[in-house]
Amino acid sequence: MSVITTKSSLLLRELRELMASSQKPQTRLNNITSLIASHMVAEVCSVYVAIPGEKLELFSSKGLKATAVHKTILNVGEGLVGIIAEKAQPLALSDAKLHPNFSYRPETGEEIYHSFLGVPLLRRGQTVGVIVVQNIKLRSYKDEEIEVLETIAMVIAEMIATGELGVFFAIKEDDPRHNKPHTVEGLVLSQGIVIGKAVLYEKRIEVLKIISEDMELENKRLINGLRDLKHNIEKLINGLEVISNGEHRGVLEAYQMLSNDPSWEKRLFVAIKKGLTAEGAVQSVQSDVKARLLRQKNPFIREKLYDLDDLSYRLLRHIRGDIDKNINIDLNEDTILFARNMGPADLLEYSSSSIKGLVIEEASPNSHVSIVARALGIPSLGGFGNIINIVENGDKIIIDANAGILHIRQDQDLEAVFRDKLLTQASLQKKYDSIRNSPTITRDNIPISLMINAGLMIDLPYLKLTNADGIGLFRTELQFMVSSKFPRLTEQETYYSSVLGEAGEKPVTFRTLDIGSDKVLPYFSRKKEDNPALGWRALRFSLERPGLLRLQMRALIKASSNKNLNIIFPLVAEISEFVEAKKIFLKELDFIKLKGYPLPKNYSLGVMIEVPSLLWQLEELYEEVDFISIGSNDLLQYLFASDRGHAQLSQRYDPISISVLRVLKKIITTAEVANIPVSLCGEIAGKPLEAMALLGLGFKQLSITPSNMGAIKSMVLSLDLDKITKHMDDILSHNKSNVRDSLIYFAKDNKVEIESFSWG
Ligand code: PEP
Ligand code: MG
């Protein structure tokens, strides 16, 4: 055993004896600080505890003036102790006074101490206090000393959490519960509307015994727990139809890989060597993971940490042998499950039960659990600050996962509105079902092509389900984003082959990797950019990393043998960028030919019109490309200089204002002259009123989110194209300031169906 684990287990043994004594909590805490000070050969050991109002109170100290105890109170973020609490990270300094955050409290008498080591007291990732040791002499604390203090910190955090000190307030957890109706905006994880009752998913497991009495025994318990955990996950993955293919399997396999992560296991076994029980070891490692999670901004690393957190809970249950018990959850047909976070495996475990809706505080649309929720068709919201603390079991809830709004304890009037919405939704759905297989033609018999946007295997069933004409935009980056490492050639090829296989005779337009800006790859480190939406992204990135682009081209070409291959390039700002990409494609095509592989039957290469600079070089562009598609999401953000994801700006500019319509008209008329096929694949194409305007401008092909298909098709079937074309010409020539109103009147007068709802 190493020196560190021996030291730690010795200290823990003495600590255990202290904890078992029948002293008063304050006396016990004082004895603990004295014990730590003497073990760590420090003149000072102090414990600060979180109290309401984001403050920290000095609760016990060996070495500082006794009169300062319960008097000295710091704000979180104030002084060195405040920084440790805020950042949930240890801090070791050989001369504390040199630190810019040093703040001296005269009542403590700490001015004579130079060296400083502080560690946060973490409980489930929340800071509940800080423990500090100080020395008079200048000295550097070693890593092992920091680790010993971290282990002790866990024991003290538990002591605080069990209420032994008469306080338990986690910093930033003092949200009052209340009973009033409440409405919050969140992120849509999986679309739909549901009304139900809240059930809190509390997967807390109280770990009462942290310090071990028999290291060998605890080691065995951990080994058995890990074995059972792996076995159980494998069973779960193999037993579910929902993950038969596609990225759900990828997500769960990545999750499974984590359970075999040797570094995680190593840390667990080291914690046992330090003197913790198997449960204590899991909790100690988990606490650290959670603290890292709270500091983490990168969504993909967060995702991995969530999964690790989830695995820890499962491992705890295996160690305790209660994995088969439902974790205190009473599900019924009204259940809307609320969780702080939840792993994909946990949700799958409940898939056969009736979860009507799901609210996951910390999840984002790309979370693994969201992908599974969409596969199961459960309307879900996420991305909330602290919702669990204001919801009680049994509260009435409305999830509006079309608008991204959560209503808690709604009043009867609001509930009646939503019940009506559900009825309208049901009758519209019936109507959409009835027109699904009819041809998409306007009332004056002009065929319109409606395609869907896709990006993951999970989207492909919608091709049949919506009876769409094809996939107008396949966002290839999504496969890269849900993978834990860069997909290799064979993986990419298999993926594209299955997309084409599922699509059958219907065309698919693959967009090359559109990463950067808000789309980050977890395994790709990149420099921070001040303006990532204007930065190193999409085709700019691909052209500077031609190896990656070549690989993707090769995979696409090989996957399309004897089929039609359509490739589109994102964020082209200059024609030369497209020309360069085309060269790379042609080179790859030659390579495949040389190797004797079968080639695509046909290929066409296109450009997304997303950057305004292209608007002044359209004619020249048409000489190079085979087709174009307008990415209105990006084009509009650059035209209006208005961030597409900015909540405050989202209603500011109307996408069907006169300036935009003129730009779109210019694109479509010039493309017609050049005989270049045009489509539009941004979000506006999925909104009935906007789509009506687009058809009036001359668009004959739109690519939309599958859930909008019913509404758009219903609009097309009720529209007279000749009339809307004339109306749009009128709007364009008269410079009408309120286009939207004019279009609403047009739709009313001409009985065009612009009512809509999206289904998940
Ligand atoms: C667009 O910009 O309109 C588009 C379709 O691409 P994305 O939303 O993926 O940027
Ligand atoms: Mg775009």
Side-chain angles (χ1 to χ4, degrees), residues 346-402:
D346 271 1
L347 180 56
L348 279 171
E349 251 188 345
Y350 294 108
S351 65
S352 52
S353 320
S354 47
I355 294 181
K356 213 171 170 189
L358 194 59
V359 177
I360 311 176
E361 243 180 38
E362 295 172 356
S364 74
N366 290 322
S367 299
H368 296 160
V369 68
S370 308
I371 293 173
V372 175
R374 285 198 290 273
L376 298 174
I378 302 173
S380 312
L381 290 173
F384 298 103
N386 205 355
I387 214 70
I388 301 266
N389 280 4
I390 55 167
V391 176
E392 295 280 8
N393 274 319
D395 275 348
K396 292 199 293 176
I397 300 292
I398 297 172
I399 289 184
D400 179 355
N402 294 339

Side-chain angles (χ1 to χ4, degrees), residues 7 197 246 257 282 400 482-483 706 710 729 743-744:
K7 259 192 183 169
K197 296 241 170 74
M257 251 162 63
V282 176
D400 179 355
V482 298
S483 301
D729 284 347
L743 287 170
I744 291 173

Side-chain angles (χ1 to χ4, degrees), residues 187 292-293 295-307 362-370 481-483 516-524 526:
L187 299 170
R292 281 196 286 148
L293 187 65
R295 293 195 296 270
Q296 196 43 254
K297 288 216 167 55
N298 182 319
F300 297 94
I301 298 180
R302 273 186 83 98
E303 198 51 52
K304 194 171 155 182
L305 293 173
Y306 279 142
D307 287 357
E362 295 172 356
S364 74
N366 290 322
S367 299
H368 296 160
V369 68
S370 308
M481 286 162 75
V482 298
S483 301
S517 192
D518 57 334
K519 297 177 195 160
V520 277
L521 301 184
Y523 37 86
F524 233 85
R526 36 186 304 143

Side-chain angles (χ1 to χ4, degrees), residues 511 514 519 537 571 608 610 631 633-634 644:
R511 176 173 72 187
D514 184 14
K519 297 177 195 160
R537 53 173 293 209
L571 211 85
M608 302 262 307
E610 297 181 295
N633 305 338
D634 274 316
R644 63 190 260 184

Side-chain angles (χ1 to χ4, degrees), residues 436-564:
R436 177 170 304 149
N437 294 322
S438 38
T440 314
I441 47 169
T442 60
R443 265 171 50 192
D444 45 346
N445 287 325
I446 310 294
I448 302 294
S449 166
L450 294 182
M451 307 261 206
I452 57 164
N453 294 342
L456 293 170
M457 287 308 287
I458 193 177
D459 299 325
L460 283 172
Y462 290 119
L463 198 51
K464 276 205 189 92
L465 221 64
T466 58
N467 196 21
D469 294 319
I471 299 178
L473 172 68
F474 192 90
R475 294 175 160 109
T476 61
E477 63 275 7
L478 297 189
Q479 183 206 9
F480 289 71
M481 286 162 75
V482 298
S483 301
S484 52
K485 56 186 188 331
F486 204 92
R488 285 169 303 164
L489 176 69
T490 46
E491 285 168 294
Q492 291 187 46
E493 187 188 329
T494 314
Y495 194 64
Y496 304 142
S497 292
S498 25
V499 173
L500 288 168
E502 287 281 323
E505 291 302 303
K506 295 184 177 181
V508 179
T509 296
F510 290 98
R511 176 173 72 187
T512 60
L513 205 52
D514 184 14
I515 56 157
S517 192
D518 57 334
K519 297 177 195 160
V520 277
L521 301 184
Y523 37 86
F524 233 85
S525 64
R526 36 186 304 143
K527 286 199 193 103
K528 194 179 166 312
E529 295 175 288
D530 285 340
N531 292 301
L534 305 178
W536 196 50
R537 53 173 293 209
L539 190 58
R540 300 164 186 181
F541 167 87
S542 298
L543 291 176
E544 279 188 38
R545 290 271 187 282
L548 299 183
L549 185 62
R550 264 207 309 274
L551 201 71
Q552 191 175 30
M553 300 286 177
R554 194 173 297 180
L556 283 167
I557 295 170
K558 286 179 80 181
S560 317
S561 59
N562 300 317
K563 293 184 173 149
N564 291 332

